[in-house]
Amino acid sequence: DVVMTQSPLSLPVTLGQPASISCRSSQSLVYSDGNTYLNWFQQRPGQSPRRLIYKVSNRDSGVPDRFSGSGSGTDFTLKISRVEAEDFGVYYCMQGTHWPPTFGQGTKVEIK
Amino acid sequence: QVQLQESGPGLVKPSETLSLTCAVSGYSISSGYYWGWIRQPPGKGLECIGSIYHSGSTYYNPSLKSRVTITLDTPKNQFSLKLSSVTAADTAVYYCARWDGYNTNAFDIWGQGTMVTVSS
């Protein structure tokens, strides 16, 4: 299985400040069709995961533009330009290039 | 608006079979997409269990393949998960979700999840 490694695992942030989460895969996530199937999810306490970003950098409908994704190959980043109160929770990266799909361990974004 | 809702027993005895159902509304599962299951042990991360295509083809996580069966019930517009020979390690929140294999290769719409505890 492809191992997804996130860092940091805990990220204390101040409201209004930026935040950045790294995700690295044990294999390239470039698929034979040329696409890179790297996704980011947000999970608030007691809720199911919500997808924020697909194919590295595409925001899902309704996702604020303060969220952005970047990266290529095996190295990816999720950035929040200015953290708001509703952004606290756990963030997961997930690869869909290789079967089975695998998730990172999660990064807990919490109030500093 | 597509919505998914899990249902099933919250408590299963060790060595027995865990059975869950996911009811889908807002979309006919026989029309397209893959439909899958993911689980999350308490305080831990997410694990893909497997998925089923609208045609009935199944794709299972090799780590669980010997114990997993996912089936479609198109007249009821739902799909189901069976996990046999459960142990305490199978205690988790179980989510059903739609897998978009056409564009994004990801679970894009999730149910709210249902907690299943394995205990005697």
Side-chain angles (χ1 to χ4, degrees), chain A residues 4 6 21-25 29 35-42 49-60 68-70 76-78 91-98 101-104, chain B residues 46 98-101 103-110:
Chain A
M4 305 296 288
Q6 291 181 227
I21 301 169
S22 171
C23 175
R24 290 181 173 163
S25 57
L29 298 187
N35 287 309
T36 300
Y37 294 108
L38 186 284
N39 307 267
W40 289 96
F41 291 85
Q42 175 196 62
R50 167 201 180 195
R51 195 178 66 181
L52 302 175
I53 302 283
Y54 62 91
K55 287 196 289 190
V56 181
S57 60
N58 296 275
R59 276 189 302 275
D60 274 278
S68 64
S70 62
F76 305 93
T77 303
L78 175 70
Y91 290 78
Y92 295 93
C93 58
M94 188 219 89
Q95 66 82 19
T97 297
H98 305 280
T102 47
F103 295 83
Chain B
L46 298 153
R98 187 179 79 172
W99 174 269
D100 173 17
N103 180 32
T104 65
N105 269 22
F107 295 108
D108 61 350
I109 301 174
W110 295 57

Side-chain angles (χ1 to χ4, degrees), chain B residues 8-115:
Chain B
L11 181 64
V12 181
K13 290 182 168 53
S15 80
E16 295 189 345
T17 296
L18 178 161
S19 296
L20 297 174
T21 296
C22 181
V24 180
S25 58
Y27 187 85
S28 171
I29 62 174
S30 61
S31 296
Y33 288 97
Y34 298 77
W35 306 90
W37 292 93
I38 307 99
R39 69 180 182 178
Q40 184 173 35
K44 296 188 177 180
L46 298 153
E47 178 182 36
C48 171
I49 298 170
S51 65
I52 186 166
Y53 194 41
H54 70 96
S55 63
S57 300
T58 52
Y59 305 85
Y60 299 140
N61 189 323
S63 67
L64 297 166
K65 186 174 182 178
S66 63
R67 300 194 291 132
V68 173
T69 305
I70 298 176
T71 56
L72 292 174
D73 185 344
T74 50
K76 292 184 178 180
N77 211 41
Q78 61 188 29
F79 60 103
S80 298
L81 167 72
K82 290 189 186 299
L83 181 66
S84 64
S85 305
V86 298
T87 69
D90 296 309
T91 293
V93 175
Y94 285 76
Y95 297 99
C96 61
R98 187 179 79 172
W99 174 269
D100 173 17
Y102 301 119
N103 180 32
T104 65
N105 269 22
F107 295 108
D108 61 350
I109 301 174
W110 295 57
Q112 67 182 30
T114 187
M115 180 69 201

Side-chain angles (χ1 to χ4, degrees), chain A residues 1-22:
Chain A
D1 295 3
V2 175
V3 177
M4 305 296 288
T5 304
Q6 291 181 227
S7 62
L9 298 185
S10 176
L11 182 58
V13 296
T14 301
L15 286 174
Q17 294 301 303
S20 179
I21 301 169
S22 171

